[in-house]
Amino acid sequence: MITSSEILQTIHMFDQQHLDIRTITMGISLLDCANPSRQDACRKIYDKICRRAEKLVSTGQAIEKEFGIPIINKRVSVTPISLVAAASDTADYAPFAAALDKAAKAVGIDFIGGFSALVQKGFSQADRKLITSIPEALATTDLVCSSVNVGSTKAGINMDAVAEMGRVLKQTAHLTASSGGFGCAKLVIFANAVEDNPFMAGAFHGAGEPECVINVGISGPGVVHHALQQVKGQPFDVVAETIKKTAFRITRMGQLVAREASARLDVPFGIVDLSLAPTPAIGDSVARILEEMGLEVCGTHGTTAALALLNDAVKKGGVMASNHVGGLSGAFIPVSEDEGMIAAARQGALGLDKLEAMTCVCSVGLDMIAVPGDTPAETLSAIIADEAAIGMVNSKTTAVRIIPAPGKNVGDTVEFGGLLGSAPVIPVHPFSSADFIQRGGRIPAPMQSLKN
């Protein structure tokens, strides 16, 4: 039985500790929209998204009202467009992004993900066309998000793709220079990308997924931070147990919303993603959780160990609360979206090298980071390669969402607004990686890939 104190505690979590459902994401297969005619394919894509997601926003709003649970975003993810567009006789895939954007606006969602390609072992012709189209696609749409998977534990790292993505980032930043390179904030370069991720900008609906599915991403850094304030000075065993119990409560709420949305939309329930997703709001920060453990500033020595404890405890608590856990399920550390991370970066305590180290024990890694606009494409590619190597060797998902902010230098700030916040421009190493990136080819898969 749920006690009155538990009900009051949950209400307090909503009112004072920034607890929310970060996203309900409907995954939609577009494989049956493939067509030799680009125009017909785009029409079928638009029609199917509008038909499937017609009631997504209204259903989310009804659940919010009836249960008193804030649901911040309603989103759609679709089959990687390189797979769908491959049947069409066209060299330009930007119109597919336009169709996605038009459909997203028609159904009223916040973002749509899936302008994507999976090239960890090599390129198809369609993959090359899509990647070439990314800068224009992100510059001419508002709600479309893109991702490219360049490596995996099974395949190794496609260094030709890594090199190309550095150039794509530079071109995307150039085409969206008037908004601080905002197009790059909608582009994620992955290793070991998962098929059921509900979070943007990296969400896509994998080929192994059902025809349509509901995935939910939860949040709650503020709740975890508040819980740790009650155990100041206690041993790490107590800290871990406190986080586990808190994660259990947060995830139960996510499971409730996922089940309710699934039933009302008559769409199968997929997964709950346990990731702690911060916001720029004061009191809703992963960095502040780590500092509550005893670090003066996030990024100082001990930060990676603290993050490892947090990530593990969230998973242990959350997995007991839902029968289907998936997505990325860890702590996000997007610099521009976390007020504590922003503060740490401005103080110089948090830089690329430390964020890379933190990647080893959390979700994603180098996320929403602004670097000087004159950063060479090869340097961006080398950063991507480092991150992909961590994912490949550790059999985990890693990713880069980095913005070479046009006209900005170290110490400047790029403003994105809303959940994307503001990013202080941080330095990159001044030494060249050009010869390394120009080698091309493929970094072989590690020994741990041979598990059969």
Side-chain angles (χ1 to χ4, degrees):
M1 172 181 281
I2 299 175
T3 67
S4 58
S5 65
E6 289 176 316
I7 294 172
L8 291 172
Q9 186 180 49
T10 302
I11 292 171
H12 185 65
M13 287 158 64
F14 291 135
D15 287 345
Q16 304 295 326
Q17 299 165 22
H18 303 282
L19 178 60
D20 58 56
I21 296 294
R22 185 52 44 85
T23 179
I24 293 179
T25 301
M26 175 180 281
I28 302 173
S29 173
L30 298 182
L31 290 173
D32 58 350
C33 297
N35 194 286
S37 165
R38 184 185 71 189
Q39 290 78 8
D40 288 345
C42 288
R43 175 183 51 78
K44 292 172 72 174
I45 287 170
Y46 174 83
D47 290 344
K48 185 167 187 180
I49 293 170
C50 290
R51 183 173 70 253
R52 282 289 189 176
E54 177 186 11
K55 298 180 180 178
L56 177 62
V57 172
S58 61
T59 299
Q61 291 171 340
I63 293 172
E64 282 186 275
K65 184 176 180 180
E66 292 177 33
F67 291 86
I69 298 173
I71 302 172
I72 305 304
N73 281 297
K74 294 83 177 174
R75 299 163 171 169
V76 166
S77 63
V78 299
T79 308
I81 291 298
S82 67
L83 301 179
V84 181
S88 299
D89 184 17
T90 179
D92 182 11
Y93 284 5
F96 289 91
L100 294 177
D101 199 51
K102 181 180 177 183
K105 291 173 179 175
V107 297
I109 57 175
D110 298 284
F111 286 107
I112 186 164
F115 195 76
S116 306
L118 312 177
V119 297
Q120 58 269 21
K121 206 168 183 178
F123 301 92
S124 68
Q125 290 184 3
D127 294 328
R128 290 188 183 277
K129 292 175 184 177
L130 184 131
I131 290 172
T132 300
S133 300
I134 286 174
E136 180 185 353
L138 296 183
T140 56
T141 61
D142 298 313
L143 306 181
V144 173
C145 294
S146 179
S147 60
V148 177
N149 192 68
V150 299
S152 73
T153 301
K154 281 290 187 181
I157 303 172
N158 182 349
M159 290 301 291
D160 293 321
V162 168
E164 181 63 22
M165 292 314 298
R167 294 187 286 269
V168 166
L169 280 167
K170 291 288 286 187
Q171 180 66 8
T172 303
H174 171 70
L175 292 180
T176 57
S178 62
S179 56
F182 177 70
C184 296
K186 300 188 292 175
L187 172 59
V188 181
I189 300 102
F190 277 117
N192 288 321
V194 297
E195 297 189 328
D196 56 1
N197 168 24
F199 286 101
M200 298 298 168
F204 64 86
H205 187 69
E209 291 289 298
E211 175 70 14
C212 191
V213 70
I214 288 291
N215 298 320
V216 165
I218 60 175
S219 186
V223 180
V224 175
H225 183 213
H226 178 80
L228 292 187
Q229 290 175 332
Q230 313 307 310
V231 294
K232 285 184 182 294
Q234 296 294 311
F236 283 115
D237 313 74
V238 177
V239 172
E241 188 67 19
T242 301
I243 295 171
K244 281 166 57 179
K245 290 178 179 178
T246 305
F248 180 88
R249 293 200 304 271
I250 294 170
T251 307
R252 289 303 288 174
M253 181 192 67
Q255 172 87 352
L256 167 66
V257 170
R259 287 290 188 189
E260 193 66 26
S262 170
R264 296 187 185 196
L265 291 166
D266 193 25
V267 172
F269 160 51
I271 58 93
V272 174
D273 189 315
L274 307 179
S275 301
L276 289 181
T279 73
I282 302 297
D284 198 26
S285 162
V286 170
R288 298 307 186 195
I289 296 174
L290 306 182
E291 291 169 358
E292 186 61 37
M293 293 186 200
L295 304 173
E296 182 179 359
V297 180
C298 177
T300 192
H301 305 297
T303 298
T304 304
L307 183 59
L309 183 154
L310 172 65
N311 210 41
D312 181 66
V314 166
K315 291 182 180 182
K316 286 175 177 174
V319 78
M320 296 297 293
S322 175
N323 57 340
H324 293 297
V325 170
L328 299 172
S329 288
F332 285 159
I333 51 172
V335 173
S336 81
E337 300 173 21
D338 184 312
E339 62 86 14
M341 295 282 178
I342 294 169
R346 284 179 174 155
Q347 292 179 66
L350 195 63
L352 277 171
D353 291 341
K354 188 59 179 180
L355 288 163
E356 185 181 302
M358 293 164 69
T359 296
C360 299
V361 297
C362 75
S363 288
V364 183
L366 300 182
D367 195 13
M368 285 302 291
I369 296 166
V371 297
D374 61 359
T375 302
E378 293 86 359
T379 298
L380 297 173
S381 294
I383 291 169
I384 294 167
D386 283 343
E387 195 75 357
I390 291 172
M392 175 184 71
V393 171
N394 291 285
S395 301
K396 69 186 294 293
T397 303
T398 55
V400 172
R401 190 162 48 143
I402 191 167
I403 301 101
K408 299 290 186 178
N409 298 304
V410 173
D412 294 338
T413 298
V414 186
E415 297 286 348
F416 297 118
L419 288 176
L420 295 178
S422 62
V425 178
I426 61 177
V428 301
H429 287 296
F431 309 106
S432 175
S433 307
D435 290 346
F436 175 77
I437 294 300
Q438 288 167 8
R439 285 178 178 271
R442 183 153 56 96
I443 293 179
M447 279 297 295
Q448 53 265 43
S449 68
L450 303 176
K451 293 183 178 179
N452 292 332

